[in-house]
Amino acid sequence: MRPLWHGLRILLTVVRFRLDTILIELIGDHWLQWFLLTRYLPNPRKPSALRLREAIEHLGPVFIKFGQILSTRRDLLPVDYADQLAKLQDQVPPFPTEEAITRIEKALNQRVNELFSDFEHEPIASASLAQVHAARLQDGNEVVVKVIRPDVADRIRKDLELIFQAVRFLHRISRDVRRLRLIEVARDYEETIFNELDLTKEAQNTTRLRYNFAESQLLYVPRVYNDFTTTDVLVMERIHGVPISATNELVARGTDLKKLAVRGVETFFTQVFEHNFFHADMHPGNIFIDVEDPADPSYIAVDCAIIGQLTPEDQTYLARNIVAFFNQDFSEIAQLHAESGWIGAESDVQAFEQVIRDLCEPLFLQPLSQISFGHFLLNLFTTARQFNMEVQPQLVLLQKTLLNIEGLGRQLDPDLDLWTTAKPFMEKWMQKRYGVEATLKAFTDNAPKLLGQLPRLPHLLLTAGDRLGSIERQMRVQAHAMDNLQASLNHSRISWWRKLWVTLFGLGGIAQFSFVLLNWFPHLNHDALLVGGVVSSLVAISLSVKR
């Protein structure tokens, strides 16, 4: 009953916000309008992207977070949709402090007044997954206590089940939805949100990021108190800084904003290329400024639940792409995309090079301070769709983080020149990683292994042709097996569609009927309508199964 109840709620939301027109706009299919009967309703007045955001907000926190994750996939969405989804805010009323205290005492197996000499009952922050209270340890150190909301995991699992059901259904019936790779997006979201629910992982991320910048003046990361941290509770040092969005206060304190902007870029490239461990949620709410010395300001980062890492291959190719972009070597960029597999093997590399050239050359007619490298990556991902570019999630996460950093830097210093700051850093990193000294060191380190393989080299060369022939034969056998499997799936899909159609038509009619009744008779009880809808749905499902 519960899935049907939730399903009806979603269908009513689809009708209320006319999401059917959005699906038509995005994927060009009109089937949804037929079984929801919305084709007989007036055309909506609000823009499609705005209605999608409002619908997600109406469905609640879990869907809001899914919308936030989807907003980072700008390689998949039109710009207006990505911009609207990026505005989703996770402002949730706090749950009762008594419940928070109960959860803290249960997790840490001590009473709150034994753990802390002072505990503020009014939370200082509240979100869909957790809320934060200020406190003071018995030794006098100021801390913040982050507590996961009660029963949030069960609610997330139920909503995720619905999200996956909807996405899988759309994936079956629409080629364009398969191109959008919504199943992959949903899996990324599932992994991200459950990682956020485990505060020990956030503690580990915070500790590692703190260690990476322990000797640096660029970034300060608060200390985690591991003895007071569990899956549901995180206790860490309380920081006192100026929010990076409070530009007027930074100016009033005499902060060197130009130095701060440059340090933001240096911090980003250091995390990505020196440490390969970058804070991937660097929006203004998570960044503060230490202005004890306004002439020498530094960053403070909190909320390390989402961390990005690159494979060594992606890291290398990304660095080479950045250097090639700095040098306006468009041929190198196209070739790197082909070598790394970022575009389809069947793609025309020369045609892709021309697309890159058309995209980049107008940029370099502007002053360097007005060129956004983050937006260049965004435009590159969008343009490369026609070449079947497969954008990895970690690269999109990186692009989102770069957009955040670049935007914050330009907010502090409108004349920030990302190129002057980043180009020497990248060239130095490439030299350090792939220069003559690095090559000699790699050869020296691997010399014993290379010498050990030399006696086998003649045999390997002589048998290489036979090995390749064996691989080709195995590939032909596997291709034949895949063809048989696809034929079997196509046959079963026809039967599945016949059973599903009546169910969808019944649910659509119920949603439309309920929506009309709610508009004509607003005094009707919503729950009564939903109960009637569930009963009708069971009948429709029964009929579809018999058919």
Side-chain angles (χ1 to χ4, degrees), residues 278-297:
F278 60 93
H279 191 310
D281 197 20
M282 297 189 76
H283 60 75
N286 289 338
I287 306 296
F288 297 83
I289 307 301
D290 181 354
V291 290
E292 283 192 16
D293 182 0
D296 191 30

Side-chain angles (χ1 to χ4, degrees), residues 262 265-266 269-270 273-274 319 322-323 326-327 368 417-433:
V262 169
V265 177
E266 292 176 352
F269 281 96
T270 299
F273 292 102
E274 292 290 344
I322 292 174
V323 172
F326 287 155
N327 295 327
L368 291 179
D417 186 349
L418 180 77
W419 313 87
T420 302
T421 305
K423 186 177 179 180
F425 182 98
M426 294 307 306
E427 290 176 339
K428 182 179 179 181
W429 183 85
M430 289 290 293
Q431 181 64 28
K432 179 180 177 182
R433 185 64 63 93

Side-chain angles (χ1 to χ4, degrees), residues 6 9 62-63 155-163:
H6 282 295
R9 183 168 67 91
V62 174
F63 289 87
R155 188 171 74 246
I156 287 172
R157 288 189 184 94
K158 293 168 186 173
D159 285 341
L160 275 174
E161 182 180 352
L162 285 173
I163 289 173

